[in-house]
């Protein structure tokens, strides 16, 4: 089979909770302390995968990581009563947002003709910084075919790297060479800039990209300060289309010019602030959408229901659809449980352009496997978690058992236990 885009969604883990750990992520901090619904969250995620698969797309998934992370907890020497944030961090299900798992450069872009993946170090947020060893282990299993994939260690922790959430690819077709656009933050005003320029540059060199087909663009500090903690909250690209908010980049005119110079076929669909303010774009996650090329050839935008329910956003989308632009369909999806932690449809997936036959088939979804996963979730995922219960031995057992049942059901028991320290 030819190279195709495969979306790997993170299965929402059984410890999904609202601990309010991500400074600068407004949804996560607004919902801090709320009771979460891990079972509903995971089922929402499976429904999204099923819907995308039904569009004729290839769908993969990654497993939740072992939580609580026992070795990490030991190293924290945390006090159960006073170090609640640290403990919650060890329990976080944040690996569900696989757009932060790694940066991916497909084979047509790299000097050795392999698909390169660099696991993200996620060092800016403590609860995410301990994800990468287990994520790496999973990537090494899913993409173990060394003739087709090169899986890299994270860039040094001195440079924060948040993976594909700050990376876009423009190309005439997924299987053709592309322009890889890395977006970094220099200043985030009141909030941290999570993607360091040097991390992006290291990844580009490590992936052996052609310097003529790489761009490094600064994110607008005002966007970070308004809550766009990753570029994928304000822009998304697919094939020849860049769908972006007017205020996504520090210098939008220079950014568009540089993109056009290297990829003249680009179609930039820019949403002006006069139609959708930066705040409304961030509140509704209009840009944290999956922009997908359907088998029939047209493009669809999979948006969160929050965006569909906004009159400003919906009004703009209706005008866009009427204008005969490159995006021909808009498909709302309910991922409310993830959205309340600042993770929309695009955060929940990692795009890998590859021949599906070269990927470990245990990570690819079919209908029967979706049924199997749903059954495990319905039976073993907790219905609710109050963040005050994080640390409880009985909840710990429930969460660990739930994950083991999933691993067994998918023949992936070898990923039991933890690599993280
Ligand atoms: O890293 N939220 C995640 C959301 C990640 C979204 N990813 C992309 N935009 N690609 C984060 O901020 C909240 C967890 C908590 O507060 O309990 C959290 O980690």
């Amino acid at each position: 089979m030819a190279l195709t885009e495969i979306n790997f969604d993170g299965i929402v883990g059984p410890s999904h909770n609202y601990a309010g750990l991500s400074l600068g992520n407004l949804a996560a901090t607004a919902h801090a302390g709320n009771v979460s619904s891990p079972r509903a969250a995971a089922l929402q995620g499976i429904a999204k995968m099923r819907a995308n698969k039904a569009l004729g797309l290839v769908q993969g998934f990654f497993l939740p990581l072992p939580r609580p992370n026992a070795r990490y907890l030991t190293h924290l020497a945390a006090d159960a009563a006073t170090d609640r944030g640290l403990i919650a961090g060890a329990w976080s299900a944040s690996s569900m947002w696989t757009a932060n798992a790694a940066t991916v450069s497909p084979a047509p872009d790299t000097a050795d003709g392999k698909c390169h993946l660099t696991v993200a170090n996620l060092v800016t947020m403590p609860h995410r910084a301990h994800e990468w060893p287990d994520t790496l282990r999973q990537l090494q299993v899913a993409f173990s075919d060394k003739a087709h994939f090169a899986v890299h260690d994270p860039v040094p922790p001195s440079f924060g790297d948040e993976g594909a959430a700050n990376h876009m690819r423009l190309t005439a077709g997924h299987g053709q060479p592309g322009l890889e656009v890395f977006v970094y933050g220099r200043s985030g005003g009141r909030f941290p800039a999570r993607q360091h320029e040097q991390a992006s540059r290291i990844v580009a060199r490590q992936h052996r990209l052609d310097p003529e087909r790489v761009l490094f663009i600064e994110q607008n500090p005002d966007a970070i300060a308004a809550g766009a903690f990753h570029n994928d909250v304000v822009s998304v690209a697919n094939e020849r289309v860049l769908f972006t908010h007017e205020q996504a980049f520090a210098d939008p005119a220079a950014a568009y010019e540089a993109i056009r110079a290297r990829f003249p076929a680009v179609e930039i669909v820019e949403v002006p602030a006069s139609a959708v303010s930066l705040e409304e774009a961030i509140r509704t996650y209009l840009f944290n959408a999956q922009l997908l090329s359907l088998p029939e050839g047209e493009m669809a935008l999979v948006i969160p229901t929050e965006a569909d329910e906004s009159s400003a956003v919906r009004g703009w989308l209706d005008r866009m659809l009427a204008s005969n632009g490159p995006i021909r369909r808009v498909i709302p999806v309910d991922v409310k449980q993830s959205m309340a932690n600042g993770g929309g449809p695009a955060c929940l997936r990692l795009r890998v352009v590859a021949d599906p036959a070269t990927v470990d088939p245990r990570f690819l979804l079919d209908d029967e496997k979706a049924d199997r996963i749903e059954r495990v979730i319905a039976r073993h995922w907790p219905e609710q978690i109050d963040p005050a219960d994080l640390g409880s031995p009985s909840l710990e057992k429930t969460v660990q058992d739930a994950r083991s049942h999933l691993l067994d059901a998918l023949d992936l028991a070898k990923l039991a236990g933890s690599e993280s320290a």
Side-chain angles (χ1 to χ4, degrees):
M1 191 175 172
L3 297 184
T4 183
E5 178 176 285
I6 312 170
N7 282 274
F8 288 84
D9 281 43
I11 297 177
V12 178
S15 66
H16 158 64
N17 70 86
Y18 298 124
L21 300 175
S22 266
L23 176 67
N25 171 339
L26 302 182
T29 43
H31 294 98
N34 285 9
V35 171
S36 64
S37 303
R39 193 182 303 165
L43 293 175
Q44 286 169 0
I46 304 295
K48 167 165 107 72
M49 286 195 246
R50 276 191 193 276
N52 286 351
K53 205 186 144 294
L55 293 170
L57 304 168
V58 185
Q59 182 67 53
F61 56 85
F62 292 139
L63 300 169
L65 302 185
R67 294 289 177 267
N69 184 337
R71 288 172 66 185
Y72 176 64
L73 264 178
T74 306
H75 285 181
L76 290 173
D79 181 295
T82 54
D83 299 323
R84 297 299 302 160
L86 290 181
I87 289 173
W91 281 69
S92 182
S94 49
S95 68
M96 70 171 85
W97 299 295
T98 53
N100 304 117
T103 307
V104 184
S105 295
D109 296 355
T110 68
D112 61 2
K114 292 184 190 184
C115 174
H116 285 244
L117 299 96
T118 295
V119 69
N121 64 26
L122 295 168
V123 292
T124 309
M125 292 292 154
H127 70 289
R128 303 214 60 180
H130 64 102
E131 286 176 29
W132 75 260
D134 285 311
T135 300
L136 178 61
R137 188 155 65 127
Q138 189 160 182
L139 296 177
Q140 284 164 339
V141 176
F143 306 108
S144 61
D145 179 344
K146 291 200 164 48
H148 293 97
F149 297 100
V151 179
H152 301 275
D153 286 349
V155 304
S158 7
F159 309 112
D161 179 23
E162 303 267 328
N166 298 296
H167 175 255
M168 301 185 288
R169 182 167 185 262
L170 291 158
T171 174
H174 290 309
Q176 295 181 44
L179 169 66
E180 298 204 12
V181 181
F182 293 79
V183 183
Y184 60 87
R186 199 162 267 160
S187 154
R190 61 186 176 140
F191 295 140
R194 289 166 66 165
Q195 182 70 35
H196 196 290
E197 178 181 355
Q198 290 309 326
S200 301
R201 290 186 182 274
I202 293 167
V203 170
R205 288 194 293 273
Q206 186 156 268
H207 289 190
R208 304 186 58 191
L209 301 179
D210 176 351
E212 295 297 311
R213 286 190 283 110
V214 178
L215 265 182
F216 301 94
I217 293 179
E218 188 191 341
Q219 196 184 354
N220 183 357
D222 295 343
I224 301 175
F229 53 96
H230 290 135
N231 174 64
D232 70 1
V233 175
V234 279
S235 303
V236 60
N238 179 58
E239 295 193 326
R240 66 184 194 287
V241 175
L242 170 63
F243 177 51
T244 185
H245 191 269
E246 181 184 12
Q247 290 163 285
F249 306 117
D251 184 345
Y256 300 161
E257 197 185 309
I259 291 171
R260 284 200 184 97
R262 286 174 177 74
F263 185 71
V266 67
E267 281 188 59
I268 299 175
V269 180
E270 185 194 68
V271 180
S274 57
V276 179
S277 68
L278 192 53
E279 289 66 29
E280 188 67 352
I282 292 168
R283 188 187 71 77
T284 62
Y285 266 39
L286 164 63
F287 296 93
N288 200 262
Q290 287 186 260
L291 185 54
L292 299 164
S293 299
L294 303 180
E296 307 80 59
E298 60 185 21
M299 282 195 204
L301 191 69
V302 175
I303 59 167
T305 46
E306 286 80 350
D308 189 46
E309 286 157 9
S310 153
S311 56
V313 170
R314 192 65 241 184
W316 188 86
L317 287 170
D318 289 340
R319 291 196 293 282
M320 175 196 74
L321 289 171
S323 74
N324 225 10
I327 304 171
R328 301 307 318 142
R329 282 178 71 181
V330 173
I331 305 173
V333 62
D334 176 4
V335 287
K336 284 199 168 54
Q337 281 288 315
S338 169
M339 282 286 286
N341 251 338
C347 301
L348 284 162
R349 61 89 177 100
L350 182 69
R351 292 183 283 189
V352 178
V353 170
D355 177 348
T358 61
V359 175
D360 187 317
R362 290 174 295 182
F363 294 88
L364 296 176
L365 195 75
D366 58 30
D367 291 336
E368 185 279 321
K369 214 180 278 182
D371 291 345
R372 221 188 305 160
I373 298 171
E374 267 175 355
R375 277 197 299 273
V376 174
I377 292 169
R379 191 145 173 208
H380 298 287
W381 258 231
E383 202 174 339
Q384 298 201 312
I385 292 184
D386 182 328
D389 293 337
L390 299 176
S392 122
S394 71
L395 184 60
E396 177 170 340
K397 184 167 176 357
T398 304
V399 162
Q400 288 171 341
D401 287 351
R403 181 173 180 272
S404 322
H405 284 291
L406 182 68
L407 264 55
D408 288 343
L410 296 170
D411 189 24
L412 279 163
K414 69 181 290 193
L415 289 172
S418 176
E419 290 290 314
S420 310

